[in-house]
Amino acid sequence: SSLLVDGSNALPHLLSQIILASDAPGSVREFLIEKCKECALIGGAGFSISGSRAAAVVLSALEKCGESVISLQKRWDGAGKNLFEKFLSVGNDCESDDIGLSKLRDCVVLMLKGVKVNQAQPGDSGPNIQISIGPSQTGSRMRSYSVGASDDFSVMDSYPDEMTKAILDTFTMKPLPYKLSRSVIDLVLTRQSWIEGVFTKLDTKTRQSIASALLSLRAEQDHDFAGSTLFGLPLTTDELTHLLKHLHPAKSESDQVAVSVITDCVRGRIDSLGKPSDISKLSSKLFDQLVSLSTFDDFSAISGDLGGRDYTRVIILQTLYAIHDNYKAELARSLCEEESQQNSGGSKRSRSSSWSGISDKTVSLQASVLVGLLGGKASSIQPLSSGRGRALSLGLLACLCEQAPSAVVSSLLPALMSLAEVSSTTEGDESEKKSSTAAIGEALHAIVPAYCIHAHSANLSFFTLLKDFVGRIVTKERQCEKTRHSLLDHFLQALRQLPTKQDSSDAAASLIACVMALESYNIQLPRTDDDNDDSTMTNSNSALKKNEASESIRLLANAPTPMRIAVSLSLLQYAEKLMSSICSQSANSVELHSGSKLKVNISEVALLALVGPNSDEERKQLTSYSEYTGDQKRSILYLTVSLLQTVRDATSTPSAKKLVRKSQGNDVDLCLRLWQELMQTHVNALRAHSKLIANDVLEDFEKRFWVAATTATSACLENLQNILPVPHFLASVSSTLSEDSVDDYIRKKTIRLLSERVAEVNSDSPEALLFLEAVPELVSQVCVARPKITDETSLVSYRRAIVMQQGALIAIESFARSLYPPTDDSKLAKKASDAFIPALTSVTRLLGEGASSWIDSNSDDNNNSSYDVRDVECQLFSSAALCIYRLVTVLKARCIPHLPSIVTPLLAALKSINIFIGSTTDQADTTGKFLQLSILRTLSAVAETLPQFLLPYLPLIFSKNALASIVLRRGTAEGENSVRAATDEVSEVLATRTPIRQLVPALSQALGRNLSQNEEGSSWEEATSILAIMKIAVESSQRSELTPVIGKIFNGLVTSYAYELKKADNREELLSNTNKCLLALVMKLSEAQLRPLYARLREWRGDIKNDKDSSSSSHVRRSAFWNLSAELSKSLRSIFLPCLTSVISDVFDELEIAVSILCKGSKTKVGSKRRKLEESEGEDDDVDQLRPLQPLLLCLELALKADAHEGGDWTRGDDNQRYNMLLNHLGKLLLSQIPSNMDVKSDLAPSEKQSASKFQQIVQGVGTLEHGNVVGCLTSLAAAAGNEQLWKPLNFAVLEACGHKRSEVRKAGISCLLSIIETIGEEYMVLLPECLPVLSELLEDGDEEVAGMAKECVRQGEELLGESLEESLR
């Protein structure tokens, strides 16, 4: 702050006027000064308390008078010097607290500041006087002039020696005058005006003396204010170095303190130390002090606290690190300039100094000292115990590496080994460990690149570094996992700082390979005597199988993505060489020499896996794989598969995929090299595995290794081929396929990868055009010529050619599926067509050849060829068919010219295959299944795509043993690969897509051909298949479409109805399919169209009365007619009644025929004739006449039920005549005798059919409820009658049967009565009184079943009437 002096300036103004007005101003000055001195001193004995105060006032006023009135030099010479000497002489004896004495001391000490007042300051001068107010020793505020704030003040041009001596005497006097020294420091040495105006102008010796005095005062007497004063002085680097020269901190604790103070000063002015040469001298001196403190020889001479010694070393290290870290760029620039001069020939002097005056030897020694501090060498250097000190040593060593790598390289390996040791012994909390690890990491970032670059010049190798340093980290048992991870990560990051990307990649690959080798060595666990070879084998097998994320995989994952690809290539090369050595059983094959000095040889990597990092024989000759021990074999196998799996994992990460997809230039070449190496490695692995398996020389863990190796390489290929840029991938594929020298298996694998890659391409993308250009290359593989088979060698070549063709066909199919655009009107569709039509031509030619070959082989007497090529030819034919399926699907109408070459061979082959499978074993059935599936799928595509062009081929499609073959319909229709499901699909497509006007004639003709034979065979089964297709076609058509072809359909149906089969089950199956087809047709017709159709069916059936003695064909037609009528009645219900009316007379005729045959003598009286009739039961020569009976009964039952639902008008028509006629015949049939040889359709099992008589089945309805019976028909007739008047005759007929002598008739009668009661219910109870007498007798019937049904009738009656019938039954 500033203070305006007003009244206090009166005395200075007065004294100025006196002196200037005097005739002898000099005498006045001397008088005033002398009197001030005499006033302060008492006769030279001491200071006067009151006089000191007065002297201080006058001296202060004289100072204000200005330099022109009385100069500073005169004041100092006249009074200040003597007074100061007096203060020194009395020392601490005058250290009183008197204010006057203190002011006098401050006034004298201020003279030492050297500030002059150039002009007197009058009291009215206003604010021109600038005075700084600060503290004084008295505790009050003391003024101090600010030099430079005004021209009225300045500093002495030549600082007097007496003043310098006074300052030095103050600090060197023993004992120290404390208050005087503090006053000198506070008012002089710490003032900016003195520091800038005086101290900086002093000679070096004086400056050094002052600094030394202050340093001694701080170090020896422990005065902190001296240290802070020294810290504020602008000492040069040389002066700081001079202070260090005479210190011996190893022998004195005070010198240790002095060193600490000096290092604080150095760090305080670290940004202004000067030239590199001066800095280097200071650094060297600090290193000398560090060596002195760290040498064992002086250790015994140290007295005092040993902790102070370690602290001092840490402080020195901290200072050295600050120097080298802060001046890193300057020192490196100096080094580069010197090297440039040497390279240009401008300087011929040798490289005696690495940087700025320090020789290589000196820097190397300094590095050795730091290594010793880290404990890295067995030397006289005492290692540091604190983590902070070690961290500083590492940082300083890192700086030396950056500044002078060639001089330090020999010390780097020991330093790195010490890092490994330090990392394993670091103790303390997490923060300390983290700090130590970070420091080690920083050191690695400088040390490792320097070592890699300059190791060769020192006859060192990169493998030595990896073996020793990385080996120590990976195999150290006490090593913290987190610390190990961090160190290896820092090591990898350090390798990234190498000059070129190639060097970084090679070094990183070497690092990761060696880490894998060390991990592989670690699986060689020590075994006890109790362990056997099997247990050890199990342990290593589990290690092979476990596939954990190892350290090497983690390292590679942390590497930059571009480096990861390059490293993967190197690792793959290592793995390939290892597999080669395993297969060849030779040690020489493991050598892999690289032009890079940073890429270790595979022999060195293998050595680590075999003997670990601690072997002294690191260059010993490797033995062959067969001579390894079991544990060594496991280690090599584990290493190999780990290399492959690491490459797999590295190429499967999202970042790697992104890089490969967007790679350009060298990155593309690198990716292609990796892909080609992978291809070759995969092929070699597969071949080696096959060869070793064939020779049966592998142990279990070796078999697992080869499986894992081939799996890993396959996964690598799959990952990489999906992400390679399309142009480069296709170029590589084209090159592989066009070169004749390329192995067939590699060519096949390339085609497979191509087909997999194209599956991911969008047809609208620009990449699609590039892939289309590869189609001709695939077509050329399809057209490859197969050698003629003459011997075993030619057979192998023949099979390989077929395999190549098959792979190309699969690829073409994949191309067509992925690349053909969804719309045909685009330009891309035109280009795709131009590419795929030639492919279709070639594939159809191959298809025709395959079909001819198959047909010819089946026609031979010996189907099993001596060279057994049938299987591969079948596979080739299947692939060709599936390829055509895809091409037809996408090309559509463009395939029309090729249809003859497609459909004809397919159907010819299908017929041949069906015949072959139908006549051979189940194994052959399995072999032909794939052929059938491929053919059917292709036919489905043709029918789906070009149905309107199939007319010429329909006869062939539905010919014998073709699509309708029963062989195609074996098994179930479940599953995608079911032949039956595929057949059903083709049938449905043909039925729904082919125009019905073309399809129905072909189906009718096919039915005629299949059912034209009389003998029973497979033809009727094919007819059922054709009927099923016709049914689907009818169902999928419109009524208007069916009208023109109804006649054709009718002809086909009646042909089927007229076909006679001996086996009832077969006949029923054929009828069932025919009925389904007819019903499908009827459902499409109107009622008006139905009646003419039914009339035509009646006409086809023929007249019944005139055919009583006709051939069996008439019986077949009649049975079929009523069978179809029953089906129509069941489906159409009341709608069918008008049609039934048109044939009601035929119904009566059929019933009359049945009654005449089954009821012969049924009306005879009881006597000998009835007994004769019972004796002749079952004998009937007219059984064939009865074939229409059961379907007729079913037709009537269904019609009567439908009529009952509508009210029964149809039944009661013609004044009940229809009812009476039906009742008359049906009632007689209740009493009939059914021949045992009559065919009856029932639901009974074979065992049940033997126990149930024909009468029970056809009359009573046992097992024939759904197929027609007399009781069911009578029940429906009763329901349709609907009134008591009509029920009475029916009830009489039923009661007549209930009272019949034959037990089976009584049973049929009572079951009929029970059925009627249950159906009609309460309304029928009006007739119950008529039934009670009969029921009463039946309750006592000897047949328990009859009695039981009678009892049930009574119960039903009681329940309906609501009263008991017990009295009525007595």
Side-chain angles (χ1 to χ4, degrees), residues 470 474 488 509-522 550-553 555 608 639:
V470 179
V474 175
L488 289 175
S510 300
L511 168 65
I512 294 172
C514 288
V515 171
M516 288 185 186
L518 292 168
E519 290 175 339
S520 303
Y521 171 73
N522 287 341
S550 63
E551 189 70 52
S552 53
I553 297 176
L555 269 178
L608 281 181
L639 171 59

Side-chain angles (χ1 to χ4, degrees), residues 1037-1202:
S1037 301
Q1038 300 294 327
R1039 181 184 298 176
S1040 58
E1041 297 174 334
L1042 288 173
T1043 302
V1045 295
I1046 289 179
K1048 295 289 185 180
I1049 298 174
F1050 178 84
N1051 293 337
L1053 293 178
V1054 297
T1055 301
S1056 178
Y1057 281 131
Y1059 192 72
E1060 183 176 3
L1061 290 169
K1062 294 179 181 180
K1063 290 184 179 180
D1065 292 341
N1066 296 346
R1067 183 171 64 249
E1068 289 299 327
E1069 183 177 353
L1070 181 60
L1071 279 175
S1072 175
N1073 282 275
T1074 311
N1075 287 338
K1076 290 178 181 178
C1077 184
L1078 173 64
L1079 185 61
L1081 175 62
V1082 169
M1083 290 300 181
K1084 290 291 183 177
L1085 303 178
S1086 65
E1087 189 173 353
Q1089 291 175 309
L1090 172 60
R1091 293 175 184 176
L1093 176 64
Y1094 192 72
R1096 291 184 64 183
L1097 288 171
R1098 181 189 182 189
E1099 181 181 357
W1100 163 79
R1101 182 207 61 193
D1103 187 64
I1104 294 176
K1105 290 184 178 181
N1106 297 328
D1107 285 344
K1108 289 183 178 179
D1109 299 326
S1110 64
S1111 62
S1112 61
S1113 61
S1114 175
H1115 307 150
V1116 171
R1117 292 197 302 271
R1118 288 163 50 202
S1119 175
F1121 177 79
W1122 295 117
N1123 194 294
L1124 70 87
S1125 298
E1127 189 68 28
L1128 293 175
S1129 179
K1130 179 180 179 180
S1131 301
L1132 301 178
R1133 299 179 64 83
S1134 61
I1135 298 176
F1136 180 68
L1137 293 177
C1139 294
L1140 188 59
T1141 303
S1142 64
V1143 294
I1144 192 63
S1145 59
D1146 297 336
V1147 172
F1148 298 149
D1149 291 342
E1150 290 285 3
L1151 290 176
E1152 184 178 349
I1153 293 172
V1155 169
S1156 64
I1157 296 174
L1158 300 177
C1159 301
K1160 291 178 180 180
S1162 61
K1163 295 184 179 180
T1164 57
K1165 298 181 180 180
V1166 178
S1168 60
K1169 290 184 179 180
R1170 179 172 294 182
R1171 286 195 301 271
K1172 290 179 181 179
L1173 179 61
E1174 292 176 353
E1175 291 174 358
S1176 63
E1177 183 178 1
E1179 296 179 359
D1180 193 354
D1181 297 333
D1182 299 321
V1183 173
D1184 287 344
Q1185 294 271 7
L1186 299 175
R1187 185 182 295 182
L1189 176 60
Q1190 190 175 14
L1192 173 62
L1193 292 174
L1194 178 61
C1195 177
L1196 282 174
E1197 180 181 352
L1198 295 172
L1200 292 170
K1201 284 182 178 179

Side-chain angles (χ1 to χ4, degrees), residues 881-902:
L882 292 175
C883 184
I884 291 177
Y885 153 76
R886 181 58 60 187
L887 292 173
V888 169
T889 302
V890 298
L891 293 174
K892 298 179 181 177
R894 297 180 178 91
C895 298
I896 294 175
H898 297 84
L899 275 183
S901 302
I902 296 174

Side-chain angles (χ1 to χ4, degrees), residues 327-519:
Y327 291 92
K328 183 186 305 182
E330 289 79 358
L331 298 175
R333 190 184 309 115
S334 176
L335 175 61
C336 292
E337 291 173 356
E338 185 172 351
E339 290 179 347
S340 176
Q341 291 176 0
Q342 292 180 355
N343 295 333
S344 63
S347 176
K348 301 299 182 181
R349 62 185 178 90
S350 62
R351 180 82 181 276
S352 61
S353 62
S354 295
W355 46 276
S356 306
I358 297 182
S359 64
D360 289 347
K361 183 178 180 181
T362 302
V363 178
S364 178
L365 290 175
Q366 291 174 352
S368 300
V369 171
L370 295 175
V371 174
L373 293 175
L374 292 169
K377 283 186 177 180
S379 63
S380 60
I381 300 298
Q382 173 68 24
L384 291 166
S385 58
S386 67
R388 180 168 176 262
R390 291 194 296 268
L392 290 169
S393 299
L394 292 173
L396 182 54
L397 185 61
C399 291
L400 290 180
C401 289
E402 294 184 31
Q403 296 163 11
S406 60
V408 184
V409 67
S410 60
S411 301
L412 295 182
L413 187 57
L416 288 170
M417 297 309 299
S418 69
L419 294 183
E421 188 64 32
V422 167
S423 66
S424 63
T425 57
T426 301
E427 298 179 355
D429 56 14
E430 287 297 325
S431 60
E432 185 176 353
K433 289 182 179 180
K434 185 176 181 181
S435 176
S436 176
T437 303
I440 294 173
E442 293 178 2
L444 286 174
H445 287 180
I447 293 174
V448 172
Y451 181 92
C452 295
I453 295 171
H454 301 281
H456 184 69
S457 61
N459 293 324
L460 297 173
S461 67
F462 186 51
F463 176 70
T464 305
L465 172 62
L466 295 176
K467 180 178 76 71
D468 294 339
F469 178 74
V470 179
R472 180 74 62 87
I473 294 175
V474 175
T475 60
K476 196 73 176 179
E477 294 181 359
R478 293 187 301 159
Q479 186 72 266
C480 171
E481 181 180 2
K482 189 174 182 181
T483 302
R484 180 171 65 251
H485 290 174
S486 179
L487 289 176
L488 289 175
D489 288 341
H490 284 302
F491 197 100
L492 181 62
Q493 291 297 322
L495 295 179
R496 293 179 56 187
Q497 300 176 14
L498 292 175
T500 65
K501 291 182 179 180
Q502 185 63 44
D503 288 342
S504 297
S505 301
D506 290 342
S510 300
L511 168 65
I512 294 172
C514 288
V515 171
M516 288 185 186
L518 292 168
E519 290 175 339

Side-chain angles (χ1 to χ4, degrees), residues 675-692:
W675 188 74
Q676 293 169 350
E677 287 282 350
L678 275 171
M679 182 76 70
Q680 187 65 50
T681 304
H682 183 60
V683 170
N684 292 342
L686 289 174
R687 287 184 173 173
H689 187 199
S690 302
K691 180 179 178 182
L692 294 173

